[in-house]
Amino acid sequence: MAQDDSFKKIVSHCKEYGFIYQSSEIYDGLSAVYDYGPYGSLLKNNLKEYWWKSMVQMHDNIVGIDAAIFMHPKTWKASGHVDAFNDPLIDNKDSKKRYRADVLVEDYMAKIEGKIEKEITKAKKRFGESFDEEMYRQTNPRVVANLEKYNAAKDRLAKAMTDNDMADLKAMIEEYDIADPDTGSRNWTDVRQFNLMFSTQLGNIAGEEGKLYLRPETAQGIFVNFLNVQKTTRQKIPFGIAQIGKAFRNEIVARQFIFRMREFEQMEMQYFIQPGSQKEWYDYWKKTRMKWHEALGTPGDSLRYHDHDNLAHYADAAVDIEFKFPFGFKELEGIHSRTDFDLGAHQELSGKKLQYFDPASKESYVPYVVETSIGCDRMFLAAMTNALVEEEVEGTGNTREVLKLHPALAPIKCAVLPLKRNDDKLTGKAQEVFNSLKASFNCQYDDVGSIGKLYRRQDAIGTPFCVTIDFETLDDNTVTLRDRDSLTQERVPIEKLEGIIRERVDMANLLKQL
Ligand code: ATP
């Protein structure tokens, strides 16, 4: 399936089956803001539970908090967000469309990368077994020329971003002949910086004094609580604080569904460490977080590391875990070695010591921090991208749409379906089975349609098990248990259902792999 088509398919599937709706749809929607529907909110909660347990439950030195969205405005001065949380913005004068200048250059680079990969795939086919990819990359004139072009653009972009050189960003767009992706126009304005924080006003204080920001990241709520948490939980360094919560960014371009939203949710963990040990912990969290993704069954070639070329103002090392979304490899999660930047800045601006007393060395110091930060909504999109499959049902000539989510993530674990809806005995028995399972799992009773249709619907929302109640059930208390993925149907006694389902859908199955 073409990339565009598979993306459209995911978006329409999310809407049709009650996963995600456009916010305020009856008023034609609010751009880049989305609401999670009944199945979407269940799936999102399961993703959050997996992340939370992998941090807080699986580590005796990581604790969780739930800080407020509003924070003292000085927080954002200290963190650098007031002065430096900007994106370079450019407008097309003809189409009146607005873009991020750095993203336009990145898209140009991705096109060159695409050309290189195409060339290599063709050569692989041509030379077969004897193909030496490394040698080809170094010697094929077209590949070499494109690689040079790519690297030159990459270095220049990194420099322009680090130096805040908006004029050079504009020059790049002109020199690379970059056109408006929608209209092809090259009539651009200058590039200017745009601060991404949303602001609002405290009711009882007028002017700048009362200006509040909606937090653009959850991390700062952790930093300002560092000593509260350390003292009240008696943690010793190294230890971590985890948090899941909403964040808000006034994104310039927000066109990729829940990939880039103006209101979204982050799952962040700050790991407080001794200065000097940051390399060791950075490597540890890089590996640990990759394992978390792999445990879900995400194919290895859909995930990759991408080291940052231009480091944020707070970081001494940073890497993204990128996922192959339908529109290409993009950031899913960031792992950042943030040094003592944040705690140091808060200490300075607040005048309050944010130091840790090391009982062993009897020294006090401002800890360093390694952070892992993943967007819950991007993770949702990644899970949908992996899971949504259209496949032929063997031997029938029919196709089915099935959401092959890991059973621990599936919104509904088990559907209870009577073979016929107008038979009171069957529906009564089905209700009885549903009632016996509902305290253990999210189950669904459904009798609206033929059994084939009911199966298709459960496949589409990713339900790992369907239990069918038929006439035999009335005689011997056995049911047909249908497996979503293998489509096998086995006869099992009702009293064994709970155990069989639990074994497959238990979140511990994921956590034990970490
Ligand atoms: P990008 O470069 O894509 O804008 P970022 O580097 O600004 O992302 P971070 O500040 O590192 O992102 O935020 C951590 C995580 O939060 C990201 O890896 C991503 O999963 C998520 N995230 C950031 N911005 C958004 C957004 N606008 N919508 C949804 N998720 C987001």
Side-chain angles (χ1 to χ4, degrees):
M1 206 184 297
Q3 285 190 352
D4 258 10
D5 290 348
S6 72
F7 187 39
K8 276 189 199 145
K9 188 118 215 138
I10 292 167
V11 177
S12 66
H13 194 92
C14 280
K15 167 139 198 233
E16 186 179 347
Y17 289 99
F19 284 88
I20 296 173
Y21 314 119
Q22 173 79 59
S23 157
S24 329
E25 199 184 77
I26 58 164
Y27 295 104
D28 296 333
L30 182 63
S31 149
V33 186
Y34 292 91
D35 298 336
Y36 284 83
Y39 300 121
S41 51
L42 287 169
L43 170 54
K44 197 175 176 205
N45 281 341
N46 291 340
L47 284 168
K48 289 197 259 188
E49 185 187 338
Y50 174 39
W51 183 88
W52 185 266
K53 288 189 166 167
S54 76
M55 290 292 178
V56 176
Q57 186 174 310
M58 298 291 285
H59 295 90
D60 62 359
N61 67 341
I62 298 182
V63 291
I65 63 164
D66 182 9
I69 287 171
F70 287 137
M71 298 184 71
H72 194 287
K74 279 189 182 167
T75 310
W76 307 110
K77 185 72 190 158
S79 68
H81 283 82
V82 171
D83 299 318
F85 194 53
N86 302 317
D87 273 346
L89 170 156
I90 191 166
D91 290 305
N92 187 282
K93 291 186 204 162
D94 296 329
S95 71
K96 309 274 181 272
K97 290 222 155 113
R98 185 159 274 190
Y99 295 94
R100 258 173 69 176
D102 57 330
V103 172
L104 287 177
V105 176
E106 276 169 11
D107 288 349
Y108 159 83
M109 286 162 53
K111 271 191 201 146
I112 303 178
E113 210 180 11
K115 280 186 195 162
I116 298 172
E117 293 312 318
K118 220 172 177 180
E119 197 85 49
I120 287 172
T121 314
K122 250 180 20 201
K124 252 186 204 156
K125 261 197 201 141
R126 190 152 24 104
F127 295 115
E129 291 274 294
S130 63
F131 183 61
D132 179 343
E133 183 173 330
E134 215 31 60
M135 177 73 96
Y136 195 78
R137 278 181 188 273
Q138 284 167 22
T139 53
N140 178 280
R142 276 189 305 272
V143 172
V144 171
N146 273 327
L147 260 176
E148 269 171 20
K149 243 177 157 178
Y150 178 89
N151 285 330
K154 181 172 125 181
D155 294 345
R156 193 166 162 191
L157 177 63
K159 185 162 174 3
M161 293 298 283
T162 313
D163 298 350
N164 265 326
D165 188 346
M166 297 300 109
D168 198 45
L169 268 177
K170 169 82 186 280
M172 289 172 88
I173 286 172
E174 283 175 345
E175 281 170 43
Y176 300 153
D177 205 23
I178 296 174
D180 180 330
D182 279 354
T183 64
S185 158
R186 290 176 173 76
N187 193 6
W188 296 109
T189 62
D190 284 342
V191 180
R192 61 188 193 281
Q193 293 282 27
F194 177 80
N195 193 287
L196 298 182
M197 280 197 294
F198 282 102
S199 64
T200 185
Q201 196 71 27
L202 267 179
N204 55 351
I205 307 174
E208 273 300 299
E209 287 285 286
K211 189 170 178 182
L212 281 188
Y213 295 101
L214 298 187
R215 65 179 176 198
E217 61 175 26
T218 56
Q220 299 305 323
I222 293 180
F223 289 123
V224 299
N225 277 303
F226 153 71
L227 267 192
N228 281 340
V229 173
Q230 191 268 322
K231 288 192 170 142
T232 51
T233 59
R234 295 165 299 132
Q235 291 289 344
K236 289 203 177 70
I237 271 177
F239 77 95
I241 305 178
Q243 177 170 220
I244 299 178
K246 289 264 174 146
F248 304 82
R249 295 184 187 179
N250 200 356
E251 298 281 1
I252 297 167
V253 185
R255 270 192 303 246
Q256 285 157 324
F257 193 40
I258 55 169
F259 179 82
R260 194 173 295 289
M261 300 156 88
R262 298 207 162 99
E263 173 181 341
F264 58 100
E265 219 162 346
Q266 288 186 314
M267 308 191 279
E268 296 198 298
M269 193 279 300
Q270 323 296 132
Y271 204 65
F272 297 90
I273 56 172
Q274 201 172 14
S277 64
Q278 65 267 35
K279 168 92 180 70
E280 173 197 336
W281 287 114
Y282 176 71
D283 290 342
Y284 170 84
W285 283 109
K286 227 175 115 170
K287 279 197 209 105
T288 305
R289 290 304 303 149
M290 189 58 104
K291 251 198 209 161
W292 186 89
H293 291 283
E294 287 167 351
L296 286 171
T298 310
D301 62 0
S302 293
L303 290 164
R304 70 180 188 194
Y305 291 117
H306 175 84
D307 287 311
H308 280 211
D309 303 319
N310 41 323
L311 291 173
H313 57 274
Y314 52 74
D316 76 352
V319 65
D320 292 338
I321 293 180
E322 291 189 336
F323 174 78
K324 198 175 181 182
F325 289 99
F327 37 83
F329 269 106
K330 297 272 179 210
E331 171 176 347
L332 170 60
E333 167 158 13
I335 294 134
H336 311 126
S337 173
R338 286 178 86 127
T339 68
D340 58 357
F341 174 84
D342 303 86
L343 289 180
H346 286 306
Q347 179 169 267
E348 198 177 318
L349 200 63
S350 67
K352 309 267 165 38
K353 274 206 166 141
L354 289 176
Q355 297 191 346
Y356 170 77
F357 176 72
D358 185 337
S361 67
K362 308 254 181 292
E363 274 175 347
S364 290
Y365 58 84
V366 178
Y368 269 36
V369 169
V370 171
E371 128 182 302
T372 75
S373 173
I374 176 167
C376 187
D377 314 271
R378 277 194 200 175
M379 189 55 218
F380 189 108
L381 184 56
M384 289 302 271
T385 306
N386 268 333
L388 186 59
V389 186
E390 198 173 310
E391 65 180 21
E392 207 167 298
V393 185
E394 234 182 81
T396 64
N398 296 330
T399 56
R400 65 166 185 156
E401 256 184 358
V402 51
L403 204 53
K404 293 191 172 176
L405 289 167
H406 190 287
L409 295 184
I412 304 292
K413 307 302 185 193
C414 170
V416 183
L417 316 169
L419 190 62
K420 284 194 169 155
R421 75 166 135 162
N422 42 16
D423 186 300
D424 289 349
K425 282 200 180 131
L426 284 183
T427 54
K429 188 72 185 172
Q431 286 284 0
E432 201 182 286
V433 173
F434 170 79
N435 286 335
S436 73
L437 294 172
K438 71 181 181 191
S440 307
F441 318 107
N442 265 314
C443 299
Q444 196 167 67
Y445 170 89
D446 194 1
D447 63 9
V448 190
S450 69
I451 197 74
K453 277 210 180 113
L454 296 181
Y455 283 156
R456 295 289 168 271
R457 191 172 163 80
Q458 295 302 329
D459 285 347
I461 62 170
T463 307
F465 292 111
C466 287
V467 169
T468 309
I469 312 297
D470 53 24
F471 293 105
E472 225 178 303
T473 314
L474 302 179
D475 289 340
D476 64 4
N477 264 335
T478 64
V479 293
T480 304
L481 186 65
R482 172 187 182 266
D483 181 285
R484 177 195 70 195
D485 300 338
S486 66
L487 291 179
T488 52
Q489 304 201 9
E490 42 166 347
R491 205 74 206 168
V492 298
I494 289 173
E495 74 264 18
K496 288 208 168 149
L497 277 178
E498 185 178 341
I500 298 173
I501 297 168
R502 185 178 301 286
E503 202 184 309
R504 283 283 302 284
V505 306
D506 197 346
M507 190 66 77
N509 294 335
L510 284 172
L511 298 171
K512 280 178 189 161
Q513 292 179 60
L514 301 179

